[in-house]
């Protein structure tokens, strides 16, 4: 196998972190460079098992810092870029949109500029199904790659903006790119501000679980390892310039998700607390993954097998999430949920 230099942004976060481990272990002859600013969502303790490996390298930097990023690309001459780094939580984008524009839009543009000056083989931009806006509750409708972009939150608007920049750098400068748009991920190292890890951690502590509105909003859940495999496939086999949707047909209402977790942990459904709705709360997301399946991708987890594995992981790795929820997270939670 040819030696390649793979530059991953946001590899201290949830999905990027899983992807870095997946790549370091799967491709011993690839050098994996993980660049991350280590915001509240990034931590390196998850990489203890790989940090001494010869093919893993960490760089602390801000993707929006042009003076740091452009010289790094000139020096290292990366072959592949896989771009995860972003502000990723919708609720935080409603409170403070500005940091989302800086990290997600400006940060992506700096990376594109850096990449266009050196001869890279592929730039994979990891985007989200939220750029398509929302679907109604008709179960026969899905997001395809042709669905128009109608982002509803500051987060999804910043991601849609970055998608358009990536597309433009392909059309204008011929940069070899792919854009992936995945549905909701879950699995190990998911930061406990998001619905599934929030529910697991709070139920384990016998604390109330805040469910927005009536709990009937639908998300299409994909295990993070299936997302990593999809990105690996798109990186190597994706046709340059193309968008690929990623999702495994695992639609659940939020209430179904929360109830499943409570039942699995043998706790009381009384832990559910309905709270005020999220502003602009998208009703339903659902992915049509046909294009990616034609490239050869199949998910390995059903929602049932994936959620069981994930709950077990949170039981086995309490020190990881307990350390997070005991810190700065406390004041975030109090402010977000007015408790
Ligand atoms: P996350 O919040 O867990 O991790 C984001 C990482 O990016 C963190 O390690 C953080 O330190 C880093 N980061 C943030 N700003 C940075 C900056 N300016 N410079 C360098 N590093 C910075 O996010 P996630 O859930 O792992 O999502 C990763 C990517 O996947 C995002 O682009 C997100 O839009 C996309 N995505 C997420 C989901 C999901 O369900 N979580 C689904 C589809 C797509
Ligand atoms: O669809 C992909 C997106 O999925 C990614 O692009 C985002 O980065 C990721 O955060 C996720 O966005 P969501 O807003 O769908 O995820 P979240 O876990 O925040 O919420 C899932 C659903 O649960 C949503 O309908 C809101 C609801 N919810 C969430 C929280 C945090 C609650 O009911 N209560 C809560 O406390």
């Amino acid at each position: 196998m040819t030696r390649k230099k793979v530059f991953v942004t946001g590899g201290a976060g949830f999905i990027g972190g899983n992807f870095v481990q997946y790549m370091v272990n799967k491709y011993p002859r690839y050098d994996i460079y993980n660049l991350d600013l280590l915001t509240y969502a990034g931590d390196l303790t998850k990489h203890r098992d790989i940090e001494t490996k010869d093919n893993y390298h960490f760089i602390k930097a801000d993707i929006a810092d042009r003076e740091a990023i452009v010289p790094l690309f000139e020096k290292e001459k990366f072959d592949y870029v896989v771009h995860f780094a972003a502000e990723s939580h919708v609720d935080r984008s409603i409170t403070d949109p500005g940091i989302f524009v800086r990290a997600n839009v400006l940060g992506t543009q700096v990376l594109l500029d850096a990449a266009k000056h050196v001869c890279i083989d592929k730039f994979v931009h990891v985007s989200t199904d939220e750029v398509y806006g929302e679907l109604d509750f008709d179960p026969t409708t899905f997001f395809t790659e042709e669905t128009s972009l109608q982002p509803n939150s500051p987060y999804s608007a910043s991601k849609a903006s970055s998608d358009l920049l990536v597309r433009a750098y392909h059309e204008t400068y011929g940069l070899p790119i792919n854009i992936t748009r995945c549905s909701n991920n879950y699995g190990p190292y998911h930061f406990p501000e998001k619905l599934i890890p929030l529910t697991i951690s709070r139920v384990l502590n016998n604390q109330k679980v805040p469910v927005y509105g009536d709990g009937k909003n639908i998300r299409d859940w994909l295990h993070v390892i299936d997302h990593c495999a999809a990105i690996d496939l798109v990186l190597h086999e994706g046709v340059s310039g193309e968008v690929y949707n990623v999702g495994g047909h695992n639609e659940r209402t939020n209430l179904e998700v929360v109830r499943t977790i409570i039942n699995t942990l043998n706790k009381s459904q009384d832990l559910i607390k309905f709270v005020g709705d999220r502003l602009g709360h998208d009703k339903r997301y659902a992915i049509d993954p046909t294009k990616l399946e034609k490239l050869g991708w199949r998910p390995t987890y059903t929602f049932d097998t994936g959620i069981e594995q994930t709950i077990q992981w949170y039981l086995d790795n309490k020190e990881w999430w307990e350390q997070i929820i005991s810190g700065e997270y406390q004041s975030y939670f109090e402010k977000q949920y007015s408790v």
Side-chain angles (χ1 to χ4, degrees):
M1 188 190 295
T2 330
R3 222 171 166 96
K4 295 275 186 190
K5 283 188 172 185
V6 187
F7 179 70
V8 180
T9 70
F14 165 46
I15 308 174
N18 277 281
F19 183 75
V20 161
Q21 291 179 16
Y22 172 102
M23 294 295 280
V24 165
N25 292 318
K26 180 169 175 185
Y27 297 106
R29 287 184 54 78
Y30 282 12
D31 278 304
I32 310 299
Y33 293 77
N34 169 16
L35 181 139
D36 198 295
L37 184 58
L38 300 181
T39 68
Y40 79 93
D43 91 288
L44 291 176
T45 62
K46 56 174 65 105
H47 292 323
R48 278 196 195 119
D49 288 351
I50 58 164
E51 66 192 4
T52 54
K53 295 205 176 197
D54 290 343
N55 68 334
Y56 173 71
H57 316 270
F58 177 71
I59 305 149
K60 183 175 178 197
D62 182 349
I63 53 167
D65 180 358
R66 189 172 287 275
E67 275 67 50
I69 299 297
V70 172
L72 182 67
F73 271 69
E74 283 166 354
K75 176 167 169 256
E76 297 293 351
K77 310 240 177 320
F78 302 115
D79 299 290
Y80 295 137
V81 177
V82 186
H83 175 33
F84 295 91
E87 289 293 335
S88 70
H89 192 36
V90 174
D91 290 329
R92 289 184 192 252
S93 83
I94 293 167
T95 313
D96 188 2
I99 55 171
F100 284 70
V101 174
R102 185 179 184 281
N104 301 0
V105 186
L106 182 62
T108 301
Q109 194 237 331
V110 168
L111 289 171
L112 289 165
D113 273 345
K116 102 174 153 57
H117 284 303
V118 295
C119 196
I120 61 159
D121 291 346
K122 181 68 74 65
F123 186 118
V124 177
H125 177 59
V126 181
S127 190
T128 167
D129 59 358
E130 295 198 19
V131 299
Y132 297 124
E134 67 176 356
L135 295 165
D136 61 24
F137 292 112
D138 172 358
T140 63
T141 56
F142 298 96
F143 295 137
T144 73
E145 289 79 3
E146 275 69 50
T147 304
S148 62
L149 303 190
Q150 291 189 315
N152 292 319
S153 72
Y155 161 70
S156 53
S158 71
K159 291 296 291 187
S161 307
S162 63
D163 287 19
L164 294 179
L165 282 169
V166 174
R167 182 183 179 280
Y169 274 62
H170 173 71
E171 295 296 327
T172 306
Y173 307 110
L175 193 72
I177 63 103
N178 286 121
I179 297 171
T180 58
R181 296 190 179 131
C182 191
S183 61
N184 285 61
N185 282 213
Y186 67 99
Y189 296 115
H190 202 181
F191 195 86
E193 66 188 348
K194 309 280 170 66
L195 181 69
I196 286 184
L198 179 97
T199 302
I200 299 172
S201 56
R202 289 188 68 81
V203 169
L204 284 173
N205 284 335
N206 295 308
Q207 292 168 315
K208 294 275 187 192
V209 179
V211 172
Y212 295 158
D214 59 10
K216 289 185 179 152
N217 302 61
I218 290 173
R219 297 293 181 264
D220 186 357
W221 295 95
L222 189 73
H223 193 280
V224 64
I225 292 303
D226 285 328
H227 189 188
C228 292
I231 294 168
D232 178 14
L233 180 67
V234 169
L235 178 65
H236 291 98
E237 307 288 340
V239 177
S240 180
E242 293 294 311
V243 175
Y244 294 92
N245 282 353
V246 191
H249 290 297
N250 293 301
E251 289 183 56
R252 296 286 186 285
T253 66
N254 294 336
L255 210 47
E256 284 170 334
V257 169
V258 171
R259 286 199 168 126
T260 301
I261 294 169
I262 292 176
N263 282 339
T264 308
L265 291 169
N266 287 320
K267 298 284 179 119
S268 165
Q269 297 291 333
D270 293 343
L271 287 174
I272 293 172
K273 182 182 179 193
F274 290 97
V275 298
D277 211 351
R278 175 184 276 176
L279 296 179
H281 196 174
D282 286 337
K283 284 201 267 299
R284 173 174 166 256
Y285 306 143
I287 285 281
D288 175 353
T290 308
K291 185 171 173 182
L292 187 64
E293 285 173 352
K294 282 187 185 152
L295 205 62
W297 178 81
R298 288 280 180 288
T300 56
Y301 286 92
T302 62
F303 186 71
D304 290 345
T305 57
I307 197 69
E308 202 172 303
Q309 181 261 13
T310 301
I311 293 171
Q312 190 58 49
W313 187 90
Y314 278 82
L315 283 166
D316 295 341
N317 292 274
K318 273 189 178 175
E319 72 290 351
W320 180 78
W321 56 266
E322 277 177 346
Q323 167 254 323
I324 291 172
I325 64 173
S326 65
E328 168 207 358
Y329 179 90
Q330 290 272 3
S331 49
Y332 161 78
F333 191 90
E334 284 161 21
K335 207 167 143 206
Q336 173 63 26
Y337 297 94
S338 311
V339 289

